[in-house]
């Protein structure tokens, strides 16, 4: 079992900046066991950041047909157990819309300030605000296929694909459906970012708990991704002969745009 103090030391050795802004995507299963479990991990993250640092995590519900309640709607199971506990902690703030993030620290209100972002990862969104603040992205036991900052880069690059999505909100007590297009696909080819960042020496990798973590600046992610998307706007989509339904749909939407 890794102690909370040792996890904090591992995070600092990796390059987490005290006083900075840190967006975390995680799989606790991949890095456990840690002293005091998930609470111990969150405490270690906050210890590494210090009192002037801000910690953020995804916190969306994944419910398209139910209005979002920031005080009660559970975070999507796909996000893992760490975000599910984080948003419930007493000093943590949460976005008031279905594409929610949660954050704690001096910059939390700024990160969560915007109304419902459509698509979810526009510059005026929690991911966009972390980027604006020159924050870092920490992937704990997960790869770049979980990295929402890449979706921001897709929006910045105006990728040609967009799949129809919808969500439900309450307006004057009435349920209202909102339809929109999202730059969505299977995201497995986001793993290409490992090679791109490592070749440039801008990604740190190292142990945290029993797993491996990746740390990179948000603005470095968008710089590298936007450069690649300028060369090939479909670089993240599987080829047609690879038979990926999600990517095939995204490719078809690009052709019809």
């Amino acid at each position: 079992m890794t102690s909370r103090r040792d996890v904090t030391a591992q995070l600092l050795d990796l390059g987490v900046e005290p006083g900075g802004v840190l967006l975390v995507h995680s799989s606790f299963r991949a890095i456990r066991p840690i002293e005091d479990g998930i609470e111990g991990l969150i405490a270690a993250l906050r210890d590494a950041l210090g009192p002037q640092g801000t910690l953020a995590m995804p916190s969306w519900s994944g419910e398209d047909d139910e209005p979002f309640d920031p005080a009660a709607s559970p975070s999507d199971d796909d996000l893992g157990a760490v975000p599910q506990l984080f948003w419930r902690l007493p000093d943590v703030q949460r976005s008031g819309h279905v594409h929610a993030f949660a954050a704690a620290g001096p910059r939390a209100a700024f990160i969560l300030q915007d109304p419902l972002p459509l698509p979810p990862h526009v510059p005026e969104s929690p991911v966009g605000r972390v980027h604006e603040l020159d924050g870092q992205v920490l992937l704990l036991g997960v790869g770049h296929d979980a990295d929402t900052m890449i979706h921001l880069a897709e929006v910045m690059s105006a990728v040609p694909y967009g799949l129809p999505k919808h969500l439900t909100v309450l307006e004057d007590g009435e349920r209202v459906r909102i339809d929109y297009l999202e730059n969505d696909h299977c995201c497995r080819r986001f793993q290409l970012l490992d090679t791109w960042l490592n070749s440039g020496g801008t990604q740190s990798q190292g142990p945290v708990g029993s797993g491996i973590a990746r740390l990179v600046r948000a603005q470095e992610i968008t710089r590298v991704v936007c450069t690649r998307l300028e060369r090939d706007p479909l670089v993240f989509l599987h080829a047609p002969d690879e038979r990926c339904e999600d990517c095939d749909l995204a490719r078809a939407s690009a052709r019809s745009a």
Side-chain angles (χ1 to χ4, degrees), residues 25-161:
H25 297 282
S26 61
S27 167
F28 187 69
R29 181 180 300 175
I31 64 173
R32 67 184 185 188
I34 289 173
E35 179 187 3
D36 296 328
I38 295 170
E39 290 189 36
L41 172 62
I42 294 172
L45 286 162
R46 299 188 71 174
D47 288 345
L49 286 165
Q52 297 306 310
T54 299
L55 177 63
M57 298 185 194
S59 193
W60 56 77
S61 70
E63 288 287 345
D64 299 328
D65 297 312
E66 293 296 327
F68 180 75
D69 180 351
S73 296
S75 60
D76 194 326
D77 288 342
D78 288 346
L79 297 176
V82 181
Q84 191 71 266
L85 176 61
F86 180 61
W87 74 262
R88 290 182 164 90
L89 295 177
D91 61 342
V92 175
Q93 302 175 50
R94 195 183 192 195
S95 309
H97 53 72
V98 68
H99 297 313
F101 278 64
R107 310 310 297 271
F110 177 79
I111 291 169
L112 306 176
Q113 68 180 324
D114 296 292
L116 176 65
L118 295 174
H121 307 302
V122 294
E124 297 79 18
S125 71
V127 167
R129 297 306 180 185
V130 169
H131 180 269
E132 182 179 342
L133 292 169
D134 193 27
Q136 296 175 298
V137 175
L138 176 65
L139 304 174
L140 282 176
V142 297
H144 283 285
D145 55 327
D147 185 352
T148 51
M149 198 60 61
I150 303 176
H151 285 306
L152 171 65
E154 290 179 309
V155 172
M156 293 168 64
S157 298
V159 292
Y161 42 86

